[in-house]
PDB file of all heavy atoms in Angstrom:
ATOM      1  N   LEU A 103      97.825 114.655 131.811  1.00  0.00           N
ATOM      2  CA  LEU A 103      97.715 115.812 130.956  1.00  0.00           C
ATOM      3  C   LEU A 103      97.884 117.093 131.511  1.00  0.00           C
ATOM      4  O   LEU A 103      97.814 117.293 132.718  1.00  0.00           O
ATOM      5  CB  LEU A 103      96.477 115.729 130.066  1.00  0.00           C
ATOM      6  CG  LEU A 103      95.074 115.773 130.890  1.00  0.00           C
ATOM      7  CD1 LEU A 103      94.735 117.254 131.147  1.00  0.00           C
ATOM      8  CD2 LEU A 103      93.982 115.151 130.090  1.00  0.00           C
ATOM      9  N   SER A 104      98.122 118.157 130.765  1.00  0.00           N
ATOM     10  CA  SER A 104      98.248 119.487 131.239  1.00  0.00           C
ATOM     11  C   SER A 104      97.540 120.347 130.157  1.00  0.00           C
ATOM     12  O   SER A 104      97.648 120.067 128.985  1.00  0.00           O
ATOM     13  CB  SER A 104      99.629 119.907 131.502  1.00  0.00           C
ATOM     14  OG  SER A 104      99.642 121.327 131.823  1.00  0.00           O
ATOM     15  N   ILE A 105      96.939 121.495 130.598  1.00  0.00           N
ATOM     16  CA  ILE A 105      96.415 122.453 129.747  1.00  0.00           C
ATOM     17  C   ILE A 105      97.381 123.636 129.492  1.00  0.00           C
ATOM     18  O   ILE A 105      96.996 124.580 128.777  1.00  0.00           O
ATOM     19  CB  ILE A 105      95.040 122.946 130.034  1.00  0.00           C
ATOM     20  CG1 ILE A 105      95.100 123.781 131.391  1.00  0.00           C
ATOM     21  CG2 ILE A 105      94.077 121.768 130.238  1.00  0.00           C
ATOM     22  CD1 ILE A 105      93.827 124.503 131.884  1.00  0.00           C
ATOM     23  N   GLN A 106      98.528 123.605 130.159  1.00  0.00           N
ATOM     24  CA  GLN A 106      99.382 124.665 130.007  1.00  0.00           C
ATOM     25  C   GLN A 106     100.546 124.466 128.993  1.00  0.00           C
ATOM     26  O   GLN A 106     101.200 123.452 129.204  1.00  0.00           O
ATOM     27  CB  GLN A 106     100.130 124.953 131.451  1.00  0.00           C
ATOM     28  CG  GLN A 106      99.061 125.324 132.556  1.00  0.00           C
ATOM     29  CD  GLN A 106      98.583 126.708 132.379  1.00  0.00           C
ATOM     30  OE1 GLN A 106      99.072 127.570 131.771  1.00  0.00           O
ATOM     31  NE2 GLN A 106      97.277 126.902 132.820  1.00  0.00           N
ATOM     32  N   SER A 107     100.706 125.394 128.189  1.00  0.00           N
ATOM     33  CA  SER A 107     101.770 125.157 127.054  1.00  0.00           C
ATOM     34  C   SER A 107     103.213 124.983 127.600  1.00  0.00           C
ATOM     35  O   SER A 107     103.908 124.185 127.049  1.00  0.00           O
ATOM     36  CB  SER A 107     101.692 126.343 126.071  1.00  0.00           C
ATOM     37  OG  SER A 107     101.949 127.457 126.621  1.00  0.00           O
ATOM     38  N   HIS A 108     103.470 125.694 128.771  1.00  0.00           N
ATOM     39  CA  HIS A 108     104.834 125.666 129.237  1.00  0.00           C
ATOM     40  C   HIS A 108     105.164 124.208 129.980  1.00  0.00           C
ATOM     41  O   HIS A 108     106.333 124.008 130.267  1.00  0.00           O
ATOM     42  CB  HIS A 108     105.048 126.801 130.379  1.00  0.00           C
ATOM     43  CG  HIS A 108     104.275 126.737 131.485  1.00  0.00           C
ATOM     44  ND1 HIS A 108     103.186 127.571 131.567  1.00  0.00           N
ATOM     45  CD2 HIS A 108     104.230 126.057 132.546  1.00  0.00           C
ATOM     46  CE1 HIS A 108     102.528 127.411 132.785  1.00  0.00           C
ATOM     47  NE2 HIS A 108     103.299 126.441 133.373  1.00  0.00           N
ATOM     48  N   ASP A 109     104.174 123.543 130.121  1.00  0.00           N
ATOM     49  CA  ASP A 109     104.388 122.174 130.770  1.00  0.00           C
ATOM     50  C   ASP A 109     104.755 121.116 129.678  1.00  0.00           C
ATOM     51  O   ASP A 109     105.161 120.019 130.081  1.00  0.00           O
ATOM     52  CB  ASP A 109     103.081 121.625 131.411  1.00  0.00           C
ATOM     53  CG  ASP A 109     102.846 122.329 132.743  1.00  0.00           C
ATOM     54  OD1 ASP A 109     103.712 122.864 133.337  1.00  0.00           O
ATOM     55  OD2 ASP A 109     101.626 122.159 133.231  1.00  0.00           O
ATOM     56  N   TYR A 110     104.717 121.522 128.325  1.00  0.00           N
ATOM     57  CA  TYR A 110     105.158 120.503 127.384  1.00  0.00           C
ATOM     58  C   TYR A 110     106.612 120.636 126.993  1.00  0.00           C
ATOM     59  O   TYR A 110     107.081 121.749 126.866  1.00  0.00           O
ATOM     60  CB  TYR A 110     104.142 120.635 126.171  1.00  0.00           C
ATOM     61  CG  TYR A 110     102.926 120.128 126.491  1.00  0.00           C
ATOM     62  CD1 TYR A 110     101.906 120.950 127.273  1.00  0.00           C
ATOM     63  CD2 TYR A 110     102.492 118.848 126.046  1.00  0.00           C
ATOM     64  CE1 TYR A 110     100.686 120.376 127.583  1.00  0.00           C
ATOM     65  CE2 TYR A 110     101.224 118.352 126.488  1.00  0.00           C
ATOM     66  CZ  TYR A 110     100.390 119.082 127.106  1.00  0.00           C
ATOM     67  OH  TYR A 110      99.059 118.590 127.455  1.00  0.00           O
ATOM     68  N   ASP A 111     107.256 119.443 126.618  1.00  0.00           N
ATOM     69  CA  ASP A 111     108.614 119.369 126.396  1.00  0.00           C
ATOM     70  C   ASP A 111     108.920 119.451 124.860  1.00  0.00           C
ATOM     71  O   ASP A 111     110.051 119.852 124.454  1.00  0.00           O
ATOM     72  CB  ASP A 111     109.118 118.207 127.037  1.00  0.00           C
ATOM     73  CG  ASP A 111     108.803 118.136 128.506  1.00  0.00           C
ATOM     74  OD1 ASP A 111     109.490 119.047 129.308  1.00  0.00           O
ATOM     75  OD2 ASP A 111     108.177 117.357 128.924  1.00  0.00           O
ATOM     76  N   TYR A 112     108.050 118.835 124.056  1.00  0.00           N
ATOM     77  CA  TYR A 112     108.350 118.663 122.684  1.00  0.00           C
ATOM     78  C   TYR A 112     107.212 119.207 121.896  1.00  0.00           C
ATOM     79  O   TYR A 112     105.970 119.079 122.305  1.00  0.00           O
ATOM     80  CB  TYR A 112     108.564 117.182 122.324  1.00  0.00           C
ATOM     81  CG  TYR A 112     109.612 116.605 123.194  1.00  0.00           C
ATOM     82  CD1 TYR A 112     109.282 115.724 124.130  1.00  0.00           C
ATOM     83  CD2 TYR A 112     110.968 116.961 122.903  1.00  0.00           C
ATOM     84  CE1 TYR A 112     110.304 115.087 124.922  1.00  0.00           C
ATOM     85  CE2 TYR A 112     111.971 116.237 123.703  1.00  0.00           C
ATOM     86  CZ  TYR A 112     111.562 115.431 124.717  1.00  0.00           C
ATOM     87  OH  TYR A 112     112.642 114.755 125.489  1.00  0.00           O
ATOM     88  N   TRP A 113     107.599 119.951 120.736  1.00  0.00           N
ATOM     89  CA  TRP A 113     106.589 120.573 119.893  1.00  0.00           C
ATOM     90  C   TRP A 113     106.791 120.260 118.496  1.00  0.00           C
ATOM     91  O   TRP A 113     108.047 120.068 117.933  1.00  0.00           O
ATOM     92  CB  TRP A 113     106.620 122.047 120.049  1.00  0.00           C
ATOM     93  CG  TRP A 113     106.213 122.485 121.423  1.00  0.00           C
ATOM     94  CD1 TRP A 113     106.971 122.656 122.628  1.00  0.00           C
ATOM     95  CD2 TRP A 113     104.898 122.955 121.812  1.00  0.00           C
ATOM     96  NE1 TRP A 113     106.141 122.945 123.682  1.00  0.00           N
ATOM     97  CE2 TRP A 113     104.928 123.318 123.158  1.00  0.00           C
ATOM     98  CE3 TRP A 113     103.693 123.207 121.085  1.00  0.00           C
ATOM     99  CZ2 TRP A 113     103.761 123.638 123.871  1.00  0.00           C
ATOM    100  CZ3 TRP A 113     102.597 123.550 121.736  1.00  0.00           C
ATOM    101  CH2 TRP A 113     102.654 123.866 123.156  1.00  0.00           C
ATOM    102  N   GLY A 114     105.725 120.107 117.722  1.00  0.00           N
ATOM    103  CA  GLY A 114     105.752 120.115 116.320  1.00  0.00           C
ATOM    104  C   GLY A 114     105.805 121.533 115.719  1.00  0.00           C
ATOM    105  O   GLY A 114     105.907 122.499 116.324  1.00  0.00           O
ATOM    106  N   GLN A 115     105.935 121.513 114.282  1.00  0.00           N
ATOM    107  CA  GLN A 115     106.155 122.750 113.596  1.00  0.00           C
ATOM    108  C   GLN A 115     104.732 123.437 113.317  1.00  0.00           C
ATOM    109  O   GLN A 115     104.762 124.517 112.873  1.00  0.00           O
ATOM    110  CB  GLN A 115     106.961 122.515 112.374  1.00  0.00           C
ATOM    111  CG  GLN A 115     108.365 122.158 112.570  1.00  0.00           C
ATOM    112  CD  GLN A 115     109.131 122.026 111.527  1.00  0.00           C
ATOM    113  OE1 GLN A 115     109.624 120.954 111.130  1.00  0.00           O
ATOM    114  NE2 GLN A 115     109.407 123.112 110.747  1.00  0.00           N
ATOM    115  N   GLY A 116     103.662 122.609 113.397  1.00  0.00           N
ATOM    116  CA  GLY A 116     102.262 123.221 113.237  1.00  0.00           C
ATOM    117  C   GLY A 116     101.768 122.877 111.960  1.00  0.00           C
ATOM    118  O   GLY A 116     102.593 122.650 110.924  1.00  0.00           O
ATOM    119  N   THR A 117     100.467 122.862 111.886  1.00  0.00           N
ATOM    120  CA  THR A 117      99.749 122.673 110.524  1.00  0.00           C
ATOM    121  C   THR A 117      98.595 123.766 110.537  1.00  0.00           C
ATOM    122  O   THR A 117      97.922 123.985 111.578  1.00  0.00           O
ATOM    123  CB  THR A 117      99.182 121.262 110.379  1.00  0.00           C
ATOM    124  OG1 THR A 117      98.605 121.080 109.203  1.00  0.00           O
ATOM    125  CG2 THR A 117      98.127 120.926 111.503  1.00  0.00           C
ATOM    126  N   GLN A 118      98.430 124.397 109.376  1.00  0.00           N
ATOM    127  CA  GLN A 118      97.536 125.489 109.273  1.00  0.00           C
ATOM    128  C   GLN A 118      96.076 124.941 108.962  1.00  0.00           C
ATOM    129  O   GLN A 118      95.853 124.056 108.100  1.00  0.00           O
ATOM    130  CB  GLN A 118      97.969 126.443 108.112  1.00  0.00           C
ATOM    131  CG  GLN A 118      97.031 127.552 107.796  1.00  0.00           C
ATOM    132  CD  GLN A 118      96.995 128.552 108.983  1.00  0.00           C
ATOM    133  OE1 GLN A 118      98.050 128.798 109.676  1.00  0.00           O
ATOM    134  NE2 GLN A 118      95.775 129.077 109.292  1.00  0.00           N
ATOM    135  N   VAL A 119      95.199 125.515 109.706  1.00  0.00           N
ATOM    136  CA  VAL A 119      93.770 125.196 109.428  1.00  0.00           C
ATOM    137  C   VAL A 119      93.046 126.561 109.217  1.00  0.00           C
ATOM    138  O   VAL A 119      93.188 127.522 109.981  1.00  0.00           O
ATOM    139  CB  VAL A 119      93.091 124.561 110.645  1.00  0.00           C
ATOM    140  CG1 VAL A 119      91.548 124.516 110.494  1.00  0.00           C
ATOM    141  CG2 VAL A 119      93.602 123.267 110.911  1.00  0.00           C
TER     142      VAL A 119
END
Side-chain angles (χ1 to χ4, degrees):
L103 60 81
S104 172
I105 67 171
Q106 300 291 331
S107 62
H108 64 256
D109 285 340
Y110 286 80
D111 302 293
Y112 304 108
W113 292 85
Q115 294 182 247
T117 186
Q118 178 66 35
V119 173

